[in-house]
Amino acid sequence: MTGEPLNYFWLGKLSLESLPFVEFIKTPNSSTAIAAFAAAAVIGGAIGIVVLLTLFGKWRVFWREWLTTLDAKKIGIMYIVLALVMLIRAVIEAAFMRAQQMLAVNREGPLSAEHFGELFTTHGTIMIFFMAMPFLIGLINVVMPLQIGARDVKFPLLNAISLALTAAGAVLVMISLVIGEFSTGGWSGYPPFTELAFNPGAGVDYWIWAVTLSSIGNTLTGINFAVTIYKLRAPGMTWFRMPLFSWTALCTSILIIFAMMPLTVATLMLALDRYAGFHFFTNALGGNMMNYANLFWLFGHPEVYIVILPAFGVFSEVFSTFSGKRLYGYHSLVFATIAITVLSFGVWLHHFFTMGQSANLNAAFGIATMLIGVPTGVKVYDWLLTMVRGRVRFTTPMLFSIMFAITFVIGGLSGVLLANPPIDFAVHNSLFLVAHFHNMLIPGTLFGMFAAYNVWFPKMFGFRLSEKWGRISFWFWSFGFYLAFMPLYALGLMGAMRRTVQWFEPQYLPWLLVAFSGAVLISLGLISQVIQLWVSIRNRDDLRAPGGDPWDGRSLEWSVSAPPPEYNFAVIPEVHDRDAFTWMKQHGISYTAPNEYQDIPMPKNSVVAPLIGFLATMLGFALTWHIWWLTIVSFLVILGTVIARSFCRDTEKIIPASQVRQEHEQWLARVKGLIPTARADETTSENQGLAEVAS
Amino acid sequence: MNQRSNRLRHPGINMGHIDSATDEAAESLLFGFWIFLMSDLVLFALLFANYAAQSQHGTAGGPTPSSLFELKNPFIETMLLLASSFTIGLAALALKYRQDRARLVFWLAVTFVLGTGFIYLEVHDFVDMTSKGHGPQTSGFLSAFFLLVGMHGIHVCSGLIWLIVMMVQVFVFGLERDVKTRLMRLAIFWHMLDVVWIGIFTFVYLFGAA
Ligand code: HEM
Ligand SMILES: [Cu+2]
């Protein structure tokens, strides 16, 4: 993929061969055909979006209501849309990998080794940085400010900039499909393989800048969320009245603040090695890749808790809401979350037990790793006990949560096995490991996000999602998961290594076939979710929940209309209980008009964030291809934008009290007209978002 | 609220009873900035750790800390930076107790000059080392050295840009609330750079030259 540069000054290392179409014409085979097809899909998708926006004349709305908005809820929704788009791509890639491995027993599969390497690298990188992270950050943006009774996050513009940086990283990963290639170094990007000596192409550079941009965005988000939770809680919202989801949001933010930096440092050092001839991780002249391994996993282990804690928060809300009961063991759940947060910084070494430290050190980290199982176990019991004697409703979110509780324990057990250094020596880097971490990430993070998507969708858009298609997607995902990943435990124990493009062991074949069938079911699950969205949008009039409380919710976000007004609360609520909204409902003070309304200052829209997002994309692209003039220009313009913004003083608008009053009273009148729904009718069109109050 | 306005809201200069509205607004802004500094300190902690490892194991038969470092310029740099921390402290006092723009800008300008002197010496040393064949490409040790010290230098440079912007803003906007809280944040940023430099001077230069 490296041809003659077209024009080094203006276009850097770009050449005609950077285009997969040219590559395909020069060496036509199944692998280059798939690459050319993927590139065409990206271009087609981009053109499609432009055409649709133009056809429907939505550019202005898109710009004014979405791109330039500083409303945390809308920023959150954009994060989630980004996550879903990237999820689709990464699942397609996973299906290709499963197909390749199934077809490549004792013969060559359809994909070249290079191409397969790109697939597991983009799949892993996307799933972690551009699916899991944006999904949970988007969710926190939508839910957390409402839950703690705040109008917005503390730094709304910073919030938009974080999204822009993450999106810029994602765009780079997408561009790599069309121009050049992506890294083959795995999501962990270990040197020396990713050093210039072994990987001179643009792939690793794409990976470096995509990950760097998103990690900077995440760090800013972590700071933003933490300050929001510390400083903007409504009166009466003491620490131990804070809903568990917000607790997990806080702990995740703290993890982000401390753990993202090691990643940023590692990728920047790798960049210095590659661009400037430094010797941090090279084989020669005093470089040492162990420093990279330590830095990467100093980030990497806390990262797995960054992506799991918010899901734990979601499950806590779901188990209690859909059992119609107060959360069991609230305090123990909070302390378990804190314990996990602290412990997660002390175990990173278990990712490289085999890489040369002393047995005693391994033992210490092995024990620390097993310790994390304790608070996690506490949580599982709390969730189970929340259901005991509750009136459990098996809705889609609840199904995902129960499947999580069962499956996650299996994954946890295989994790405790791996925490034993002697066992890890036997199965390290095998498909056993791949089975283990998918066993945590899919039922944990992903099902958590799916549950959340089903629970909070009506809050975001004012109508529920189709329950029927939700359940169908649940069953596909669950069976698909078991079929796709349980065989990998067996394969791993039989000696199959991860990241392998071709096998020479015929006895792997049956297991690989089963795993592929699982991937097919998972794809059907994903398709059902697309259908679910489509069907729900079409039937939205039947699914409306303007009352804003379709699930008899317990925390403050359910006390406002759906979708909530830009300023969240007409009047900042007073919190009296851990289940703040349930308390209000029981005391008959929900849906009441306050004595007086006040003007509400809110941030004005700003072009800064989309501008920075665009420039950061340019910057990453220019760095990747060594286009120095563009690097300098885009960097300077970013700097100039930030400085210019600091001179801009017209950043706030006032929403007049009269408007707040009018909107609120209108909604209250609407709620008065609704018929309270019994829980039994929750998933029928009776449910318009006003819950029957249990006596 | 009134009886609360005298309590210490955040570490650093508090506006207290002098300007309680700014004080109120500053509370969470500065809290956020402290958290940002915390993650920035994680950056330096990691670079220190990397330096500790590579200065011992990464010299690759080339120069070692003791054969390379001289203390004269780093010592002058230390003095410059310490002095600049003092002068930005005086700027903060001018901000708090006197509504005197000229005095404030004067101390900011002095801080800027001292910071520029620091950067001048640092760049001078870097160029000198590189021209003698001891650039960052020489060995892991020197890569780690240039990254650690250079990262601090980049931070000082961004502080210098920030100083210019603030001097302009003091003139354009006067001492209004945003300008005040920005100056407060700039001051703690500058002090943090001082603290990090003390670490560098001690662990890199003093220990290294010994
Ligand atoms: C949806 C169904 C999924 C399937 C079928 C799937 C399949 C795969 C496959 C086949 C591999 C390569 C294994 C190998 O190295 O041989 C892989 C790697 C990986 N997957 Fe998934 N995966 C799925 C979901 C996820 C999710 C939800 C996440 C994270 C949130 C994830 C994260 C990763 C990571 C980090 C790697 C390692 C990449 C590397 O080797 O660098 N996957 N997956
Ligand atoms: Cu780990």
Side-chain angles (χ1 to χ4, degrees), chain A residues 154-155 223 227 230-231 257-258 261-262 265 269 272 276-280 285-286 291 295 298 643 646-647 649, chain B residues 27-29 31-32 35-36 38-39 43 46 50 54 58 60 136-140 143-144 147 169 173 176 182:
Chain A
K154 177 67 204 174
F155 305 112
I223 295 171
V227 179
Y230 274 108
K231 295 292 182 189
I257 292 164
F258 286 100
M261 204 46 100
V265 170
M269 286 164 79
L272 283 172
F278 283 42
H279 288 284
F280 292 117
L285 290 175
N291 291 340
L295 285 172
L298 211 47
I643 292 177
S646 77
F647 281 87
R649 303 208 292 166
Chain B
E27 179 181 10
S28 46
L29 288 178
F31 179 73
I35 295 188
F36 161 73
M38 205 156 68
S39 73
L43 164 70
L46 296 165
N50 182 63
Q54 288 205 300
Q137 293 87 355
T138 316
S139 68
S143 299
L147 178 60
Q169 292 200 344
F173 298 140
E176 61 152 52
R182 282 173 193 160

Side-chain angles (χ1 to χ4, degrees), chain A residues 297 300-302 304-305 347-348 350-351:
Chain A
W297 291 112
H301 190 86
V304 308
Y305 288 97
V347 299
W348 78 91
H350 64 212
H351 292 273

